[in-house]
C-alpha cells in the first residue's frame, strides 16, 4: 500500500533512519522536527496518509498536537511511537482516536502493520467524507418545497398527511416525492431515511 507518512520527532538521527525504512517499504515520507511545524503546514488529507508521532517533543507535545488536530476536524490517523510509554498516556491517546501506540525500538513488521492499518482506515474515512459531500450537493439541489416534502417523508408522514400539512393535494405530494427520490438518487424509502440520518436531517 502506498501513501505518505508524516513523521514528527525531534531526534534528527531517528527521522533519517525512519525515513529510510519507510521509503524502502514504498511510502513517501515527510519529516518534521516539531509538532508546530506540522500545524503550520498541514498535510493534504485528500491523499492516503497518516502521522507517525513522538510523545515527548519540545514545545507542543505529541498528545497536544493530537488534540489540536482533533479540534481542527482532522481525519488523519495517528500512530504514536515513543521511547517513553506509560499507561495513562497510552490510554488517553487511544481514547482520543490514535490508531496505535508503539514503543521504540520497534520491529519493522510491527511498525509497517500499524501504518498499513492507519492508511486503510484513512481510505475508508475519506470515502465516507466524499459520499457525504455528494449527498450534501444532492440535498442542496432540492427546491424549497421538495426539501419540505423530503423532511416530512423521512419522518414517516404519509402522502395524505403531508398534503394536509402543506395545504396541497396528495397527487402533488406524490409528484414531489418522486422528484425527491430522483434528485437524491435513491430507489427506496429506506435509502432516503438512511441518507437523512447521515445528513443530520433527523436530529
Amino acid at each position: 500500500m502506498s501513501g505518505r507518512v508524516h513523521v514528527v520527532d525531534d531526534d534528527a538521527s531517528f527521522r533519517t533512519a525512519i525515513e529510510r525504512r519507510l521509503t524502502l517499504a514504498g511510502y513517501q515520507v515527510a519529516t518534521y522536527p516539531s509538532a508546530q511545524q506540522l500545524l503550520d503546514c498541514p498535510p493534504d488529507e485528500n491523499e492516503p496518509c497518516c502521522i507517525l508521532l513522538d510523545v515527548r517533543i519540545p514545545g507542543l507535545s505529541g498528545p497536544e498536537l493530537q488534540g489540536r488536530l482533533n479540534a481542527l476536524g482532522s481525519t488523519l490517523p495517528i500512530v504514536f511511537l515513543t521511547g517513553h510509554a506509560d499507561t495513562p498516556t497510552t490510554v488517553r491517546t487511544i481514547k482520543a482516536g490514535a490508531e496505535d501506540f508503539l514503543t521504540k525500538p520497534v520491529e519493522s513488521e510491527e511498525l509497517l502493520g500499524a501504518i498499513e492499518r492507519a492508511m486503510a482506515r484513512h481510505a475508508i474515512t475519506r470515502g465516507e467524507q466524499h459520499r457525504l459531500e455528494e449527498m450534501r450537493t444532492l440535498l442542496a439541489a432540492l427546491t424549497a418545497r421538495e426539501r419540505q416534502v423530503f423532511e416530512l417523508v423521512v419522518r414517516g408522514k404519509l402522502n395524505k398527511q403531508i398534503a394536509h400539512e402543506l395545504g396541497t393535494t396528495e397527487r402533488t405530494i406524490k409528484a414531489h416525492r418522486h422528484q425527491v427520490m430522483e434528485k437524491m438518487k435513491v430507489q427506496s424509502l429506506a435509502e432516503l431515511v438512511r441518507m437523512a440520518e447521515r445528513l443530520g436531517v433527523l436530529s
Side-chain angles (χ1 to χ4, degrees):
M1 184 184 269
S2 65
R4 192 182 300 273
V5 183
H6 297 271
V7 180
V8 185
D9 198 296
D10 62 314
D11 181 339
S13 59
F14 173 78
R15 288 198 307 275
T16 303
I18 205 82
E19 181 169 9
R20 194 178 301 130
R21 204 196 290 194
L22 294 174
T23 303
L24 278 172
Y27 291 106
Q28 292 172 295
V29 184
T31 62
Y32 310 81
S34 73
Q36 190 58 51
Q37 210 171 47
L38 181 131
L39 276 179
D40 291 342
C41 187
D44 177 9
E45 301 208 14
N46 291 314
E47 65 173 4
C49 55
C50 74
I51 298 172
L52 189 62
L53 181 58
D54 194 6
V55 171
R56 291 188 191 174
I57 323 169
L60 206 62
S61 74
E64 284 169 342
L65 174 62
Q66 181 188 30
R68 292 275 187 95
L69 290 170
N70 284 348
L72 291 168
S74 169
T75 61
L76 292 178
I78 295 173
V79 174
F80 278 97
L81 178 58
T82 181
H84 312 280
D86 64 73
T87 304
T89 307
T90 305
V91 171
R92 191 167 88 247
T93 55
I94 294 293
K95 272 186 171 175
E99 184 64 37
D100 217 329
F101 198 104
L102 310 174
T103 311
K104 295 175 184 174
V106 65
E107 294 287 331
S108 280
E109 205 172 304
E110 190 182 6
L111 174 67
L112 295 174
I115 287 172
E116 208 168 297
R117 286 191 299 276
M119 293 278 187
R121 186 158 77 97
H122 189 227
I124 292 166
T125 307
R126 273 178 26 249
E128 285 172 353
Q129 277 201 322
H130 182 63
R131 176 71 185 126
L132 197 56
E133 280 160 23
E134 272 182 354
M135 291 193 295
R136 285 189 184 124
T137 304
L138 296 175
L139 185 65
L142 297 182
T143 65
R145 180 43 62 100
E146 285 164 356
R147 176 71 190 250
Q148 286 177 311
V149 171
F150 169 68
E151 293 194 7
L152 292 167
V153 165
V154 296
R155 283 187 163 82
K157 296 280 177 94
L158 302 171
N159 290 345
K160 190 166 34 176
Q161 293 170 311
I162 298 170
H164 178 71
E165 197 164 320
L166 299 181
T168 185
T169 66
E170 203 175 327
R171 190 175 169 180
T172 303
I173 295 304
K174 274 184 183 166
H176 282 313
R177 191 170 172 157
H178 178 71
Q179 279 295 101
V180 168
M181 301 286 275
E182 291 252 292
K183 285 188 176 180
M184 297 303 285
K185 297 184 179 173
V186 293
Q187 304 297 317
S188 68
L189 176 59
E191 273 184 89
L192 198 65
V193 172
R194 273 198 299 273
M195 211 179 228
E197 284 271 26
R198 291 279 309 276
L199 289 163
V201 170
L202 295 173
S203 55

PDB file of all heavy atoms in Angstrom, residues 134-154:
ATOM      1  N   GLU A 134     -21.119  14.429  -1.497  1.00  0.00           N
ATOM      2  CA  GLU A 134     -22.014  14.164  -2.633  1.00  0.00           C
ATOM      3  C   GLU A 134     -23.475  14.319  -2.210  1.00  0.00           C
ATOM      4  O   GLU A 134     -24.273  14.944  -2.909  1.00  0.00           O
ATOM      5  CB  GLU A 134     -21.821  12.717  -3.129  1.00  0.00           C
ATOM      6  CG  GLU A 134     -20.739  12.553  -4.165  1.00  0.00           C
ATOM      7  CD  GLU A 134     -20.654  11.106  -4.642  1.00  0.00           C
ATOM      8  OE1 GLU A 134     -21.353  10.229  -4.085  1.00  0.00           O
ATOM      9  OE2 GLU A 134     -19.880  10.856  -5.583  1.00  0.00           O
ATOM     10  N   MET A 135     -23.813  13.742  -1.050  1.00  0.00           N
ATOM     11  CA  MET A 135     -25.191  13.800  -0.557  1.00  0.00           C
ATOM     12  C   MET A 135     -25.609  15.237  -0.248  1.00  0.00           C
ATOM     13  O   MET A 135     -26.734  15.628  -0.509  1.00  0.00           O
ATOM     14  CB  MET A 135     -25.356  12.911   0.684  1.00  0.00           C
ATOM     15  CG  MET A 135     -25.259  11.430   0.368  1.00  0.00           C
ATOM     16  SD  MET A 135     -25.809  10.338   1.709  1.00  0.00           S
ATOM     17  CE  MET A 135     -24.628  10.652   2.971  1.00  0.00           C
ATOM     18  N   ARG A 136     -24.671  16.025   0.317  1.00  0.00           N
ATOM     19  CA  ARG A 136     -24.975  17.436   0.616  1.00  0.00           C
ATOM     20  C   ARG A 136     -25.262  18.209  -0.675  1.00  0.00           C
ATOM     21  O   ARG A 136     -26.142  19.066  -0.711  1.00  0.00           O
ATOM     22  CB  ARG A 136     -23.806  18.087   1.357  1.00  0.00           C
ATOM     23  CG  ARG A 136     -23.729  17.658   2.812  1.00  0.00           C
ATOM     24  CD  ARG A 136     -22.704  18.464   3.586  1.00  0.00           C
ATOM     25  NE  ARG A 136     -22.591  17.977   4.949  1.00  0.00           N
ATOM     26  CZ  ARG A 136     -21.452  17.582   5.510  1.00  0.00           C
ATOM     27  NH1 ARG A 136     -20.326  17.634   4.834  1.00  0.00           N
ATOM     28  NH2 ARG A 136     -21.432  17.145   6.750  1.00  0.00           N
ATOM     29  N   THR A 137     -24.518  17.881  -1.729  1.00  0.00           N
ATOM     30  CA  THR A 137     -24.720  18.535  -3.019  1.00  0.00           C
ATOM     31  C   THR A 137     -26.102  18.196  -3.574  1.00  0.00           C
ATOM     32  O   THR A 137     -26.807  19.063  -4.090  1.00  0.00           O
ATOM     33  CB  THR A 137     -23.620  18.089  -4.025  1.00  0.00           C
ATOM     34  OG1 THR A 137     -22.353  18.381  -3.434  1.00  0.00           O
ATOM     35  CG2 THR A 137     -23.727  18.820  -5.340  1.00  0.00           C
ATOM     36  N   LEU A 138     -26.486  16.917  -3.451  1.00  0.00           N
ATOM     37  CA  LEU A 138     -27.813  16.484  -3.940  1.00  0.00           C
ATOM     38  C   LEU A 138     -28.924  17.190  -3.150  1.00  0.00           C
ATOM     39  O   LEU A 138     -29.904  17.659  -3.730  1.00  0.00           O
ATOM     40  CB  LEU A 138     -27.968  14.963  -3.807  1.00  0.00           C
ATOM     41  CG  LEU A 138     -27.031  14.086  -4.650  1.00  0.00           C
ATOM     42  CD1 LEU A 138     -27.220  12.617  -4.312  1.00  0.00           C
ATOM     43  CD2 LEU A 138     -27.255  14.310  -6.143  1.00  0.00           C
ATOM     44  N   LEU A 139     -28.745  17.271  -1.837  1.00  0.00           N
ATOM     45  CA  LEU A 139     -29.742  17.912  -0.978  1.00  0.00           C
ATOM     46  C   LEU A 139     -29.903  19.387  -1.339  1.00  0.00           C
ATOM     47  O   LEU A 139     -31.018  19.911  -1.390  1.00  0.00           O
ATOM     48  CB  LEU A 139     -29.329  17.764   0.496  1.00  0.00           C
ATOM     49  CG  LEU A 139     -30.334  18.287   1.536  1.00  0.00           C
ATOM     50  CD1 LEU A 139     -31.626  17.478   1.513  1.00  0.00           C
ATOM     51  CD2 LEU A 139     -29.728  18.242   2.939  1.00  0.00           C
ATOM     52  N   ALA A 140     -28.786  20.036  -1.624  1.00  0.00           N
ATOM     53  CA  ALA A 140     -28.811  21.468  -1.965  1.00  0.00           C
ATOM     54  C   ALA A 140     -29.547  21.728  -3.286  1.00  0.00           C
ATOM     55  O   ALA A 140     -30.024  22.837  -3.527  1.00  0.00           O
ATOM     56  CB  ALA A 140     -27.388  22.006  -2.050  1.00  0.00           C
ATOM     57  N   ALA A 141     -29.649  20.688  -4.131  1.00  0.00           N
ATOM     58  CA  ALA A 141     -30.321  20.853  -5.434  1.00  0.00           C
ATOM     59  C   ALA A 141     -31.850  20.756  -5.335  1.00  0.00           C
ATOM     60  O   ALA A 141     -32.565  21.050  -6.300  1.00  0.00           O
ATOM     61  CB  ALA A 141     -29.801  19.807  -6.417  1.00  0.00           C
ATOM     62  N   LEU A 142     -32.368  20.369  -4.166  1.00  0.00           N
ATOM     63  CA  LEU A 142     -33.835  20.294  -3.998  1.00  0.00           C
ATOM     64  C   LEU A 142     -34.425  21.700  -3.914  1.00  0.00           C
ATOM     65  O   LEU A 142     -33.819  22.601  -3.351  1.00  0.00           O
ATOM     66  CB  LEU A 142     -34.197  19.529  -2.707  1.00  0.00           C
ATOM     67  CG  LEU A 142     -33.789  18.050  -2.582  1.00  0.00           C
ATOM     68  CD1 LEU A 142     -34.285  17.499  -1.255  1.00  0.00           C
ATOM     69  CD2 LEU A 142     -34.313  17.208  -3.732  1.00  0.00           C
ATOM     70  N   THR A 143     -35.624  21.851  -4.460  1.00  0.00           N
ATOM     71  CA  THR A 143     -36.330  23.133  -4.307  1.00  0.00           C
ATOM     72  C   THR A 143     -36.814  23.244  -2.859  1.00  0.00           C
ATOM     73  O   THR A 143     -36.817  22.242  -2.130  1.00  0.00           O
ATOM     74  CB  THR A 143     -37.557  23.211  -5.243  1.00  0.00           C
ATOM     75  OG1 THR A 143     -38.493  22.197  -4.824  1.00  0.00           O
ATOM     76  CG2 THR A 143     -37.176  22.995  -6.709  1.00  0.00           C
ATOM     77  N   ALA A 144     -37.264  24.423  -2.463  1.00  0.00           N
ATOM     78  CA  ALA A 144     -37.737  24.621  -1.082  1.00  0.00           C
ATOM     79  C   ALA A 144     -38.895  23.670  -0.765  1.00  0.00           C
ATOM     80  O   ALA A 144     -38.936  23.062   0.315  1.00  0.00           O
ATOM     81  CB  ALA A 144     -38.175  26.068  -0.889  1.00  0.00           C
ATOM     82  N   ARG A 145     -39.822  23.500  -1.715  1.00  0.00           N
ATOM     83  CA  ARG A 145     -40.979  22.612  -1.488  1.00  0.00           C
ATOM     84  C   ARG A 145     -40.526  21.146  -1.426  1.00  0.00           C
ATOM     85  O   ARG A 145     -40.996  20.390  -0.576  1.00  0.00           O
ATOM     86  CB  ARG A 145     -42.019  22.840  -2.602  1.00  0.00           C
ATOM     87  CG  ARG A 145     -43.317  21.991  -2.546  1.00  0.00           C
ATOM     88  CD  ARG A 145     -43.948  21.836  -1.170  1.00  0.00           C
ATOM     89  NE  ARG A 145     -44.394  23.041  -0.527  1.00  0.00           N
ATOM     90  CZ  ARG A 145     -45.641  23.482  -0.488  1.00  0.00           C
ATOM     91  NH1 ARG A 145     -46.601  22.834  -1.110  1.00  0.00           N
ATOM     92  NH2 ARG A 145     -45.931  24.577   0.178  1.00  0.00           N
ATOM     93  N   GLU A 146     -39.599  20.758  -2.303  1.00  0.00           N
ATOM     94  CA  GLU A 146     -39.086  19.381  -2.290  1.00  0.00           C
ATOM     95  C   GLU A 146     -38.380  19.088  -0.975  1.00  0.00           C
ATOM     96  O   GLU A 146     -38.493  17.991  -0.425  1.00  0.00           O
ATOM     97  CB  GLU A 146     -38.131  19.148  -3.468  1.00  0.00           C
ATOM     98  CG  GLU A 146     -38.833  19.010  -4.815  1.00  0.00           C
ATOM     99  CD  GLU A 146     -37.895  19.169  -6.011  1.00  0.00           C
ATOM    100  OE1 GLU A 146     -36.696  19.461  -5.810  1.00  0.00           O
ATOM    101  OE2 GLU A 146     -38.386  19.026  -7.146  1.00  0.00           O
ATOM    102  N   ARG A 147     -37.687  20.081  -0.466  1.00  0.00           N
ATOM    103  CA  ARG A 147     -36.983  19.922   0.809  1.00  0.00           C
ATOM    104  C   ARG A 147     -37.996  19.674   1.939  1.00  0.00           C
ATOM    105  O   ARG A 147     -37.781  18.828   2.809  1.00  0.00           O
ATOM    106  CB  ARG A 147     -36.142  21.181   1.078  1.00  0.00           C
ATOM    107  CG  ARG A 147     -35.407  21.230   2.408  1.00  0.00           C
ATOM    108  CD  ARG A 147     -34.250  20.255   2.446  1.00  0.00           C
ATOM    109  NE  ARG A 147     -33.715  20.143   3.801  1.00  0.00           N
ATOM    110  CZ  ARG A 147     -32.522  20.609   4.175  1.00  0.00           C
ATOM    111  NH1 ARG A 147     -31.734  21.202   3.307  1.00  0.00           N
ATOM    112  NH2 ARG A 147     -32.106  20.462   5.414  1.00  0.00           N
ATOM    113  N   GLN A 148     -39.106  20.413   1.909  1.00  0.00           N
ATOM    114  CA  GLN A 148     -40.159  20.210   2.918  1.00  0.00           C
ATOM    115  C   GLN A 148     -40.719  18.787   2.830  1.00  0.00           C
ATOM    116  O   GLN A 148     -40.876  18.105   3.845  1.00  0.00           O
ATOM    117  CB  GLN A 148     -41.309  21.209   2.688  1.00  0.00           C
ATOM    118  CG  GLN A 148     -40.992  22.638   3.101  1.00  0.00           C
ATOM    119  CD  GLN A 148     -42.157  23.563   2.766  1.00  0.00           C
ATOM    120  OE1 GLN A 148     -42.686  23.543   1.649  1.00  0.00           O
ATOM    121  NE2 GLN A 148     -42.574  24.356   3.739  1.00  0.00           N
ATOM    122  N   VAL A 149     -40.998  18.357   1.611  1.00  0.00           N
ATOM    123  CA  VAL A 149     -41.549  17.006   1.397  1.00  0.00           C
ATOM    124  C   VAL A 149     -40.544  15.957   1.872  1.00  0.00           C
ATOM    125  O   VAL A 149     -40.899  15.011   2.579  1.00  0.00           O
ATOM    126  CB  VAL A 149     -41.936  16.788  -0.093  1.00  0.00           C
ATOM    127  CG1 VAL A 149     -42.300  15.332  -0.363  1.00  0.00           C
ATOM    128  CG2 VAL A 149     -43.091  17.710  -0.487  1.00  0.00           C
ATOM    129  N   PHE A 150     -39.291  16.157   1.499  1.00  0.00           N
ATOM    130  CA  PHE A 150     -38.219  15.241   1.908  1.00  0.00           C
ATOM    131  C   PHE A 150     -38.190  15.081   3.428  1.00  0.00           C
ATOM    132  O   PHE A 150     -38.178  13.964   3.959  1.00  0.00           O
ATOM    133  CB  PHE A 150     -36.874  15.795   1.390  1.00  0.00           C
ATOM    134  CG  PHE A 150     -35.646  15.120   1.949  1.00  0.00           C
ATOM    135  CD1 PHE A 150     -35.337  13.802   1.632  1.00  0.00           C
ATOM    136  CD2 PHE A 150     -34.774  15.799   2.799  1.00  0.00           C
ATOM    137  CE1 PHE A 150     -34.193  13.187   2.130  1.00  0.00           C
ATOM    138  CE2 PHE A 150     -33.631  15.194   3.305  1.00  0.00           C
ATOM    139  CZ  PHE A 150     -33.343  13.880   2.970  1.00  0.00           C
ATOM    140  N   GLU A 151     -38.212  16.214   4.134  1.00  0.00           N
ATOM    141  CA  GLU A 151     -38.109  16.165   5.597  1.00  0.00           C
ATOM    142  C   GLU A 151     -39.320  15.494   6.247  1.00  0.00           C
ATOM    143  O   GLU A 151     -39.195  14.809   7.258  1.00  0.00           O
ATOM    144  CB  GLU A 151     -37.898  17.582   6.157  1.00  0.00           C
ATOM    145  CG  GLU A 151     -36.539  18.140   5.735  1.00  0.00           C
ATOM    146  CD  GLU A 151     -36.109  19.368   6.510  1.00  0.00           C
ATOM    147  OE1 GLU A 151     -36.787  19.732   7.485  1.00  0.00           O
ATOM    148  OE2 GLU A 151     -35.080  19.962   6.131  1.00  0.00           O
ATOM    149  N   LEU A 152     -40.492  15.686   5.652  1.00  0.00           N
ATOM    150  CA  LEU A 152     -41.700  15.062   6.214  1.00  0.00           C
ATOM    151  C   LEU A 152     -41.765  13.567   5.881  1.00  0.00           C
ATOM    152  O   LEU A 152     -42.160  12.754   6.718  1.00  0.00           O
ATOM    153  CB  LEU A 152     -42.955  15.791   5.707  1.00  0.00           C
ATOM    154  CG  LEU A 152     -43.108  17.227   6.249  1.00  0.00           C
ATOM    155  CD1 LEU A 152     -44.167  17.998   5.471  1.00  0.00           C
ATOM    156  CD2 LEU A 152     -43.445  17.225   7.741  1.00  0.00           C
ATOM    157  N   VAL A 153     -41.332  13.216   4.682  1.00  0.00           N
ATOM    158  CA  VAL A 153     -41.326  11.799   4.269  1.00  0.00           C
ATOM    159  C   VAL A 153     -40.393  10.991   5.178  1.00  0.00           C
ATOM    160  O   VAL A 153     -40.770   9.927   5.686  1.00  0.00           O
ATOM    161  CB  VAL A 153     -40.887  11.643   2.786  1.00  0.00           C
ATOM    162  CG1 VAL A 153     -40.514  10.192   2.466  1.00  0.00           C
ATOM    163  CG2 VAL A 153     -41.998  12.089   1.847  1.00  0.00           C
ATOM    164  N   VAL A 154     -39.186  11.490   5.408  1.00  0.00           N
ATOM    165  CA  VAL A 154     -38.223  10.719   6.212  1.00  0.00           C
ATOM    166  C   VAL A 154     -38.609  10.687   7.695  1.00  0.00           C
ATOM    167  O   VAL A 154     -38.050   9.898   8.464  1.00  0.00           O
ATOM    168  CB  VAL A 154     -36.765  11.231   6.042  1.00  0.00           C
ATOM    169  CG1 VAL A 154     -36.299  11.036   4.608  1.00  0.00           C
ATOM    170  CG2 VAL A 154     -36.611  12.682   6.475  1.00  0.00           C
TER     171      VAL A 154
END
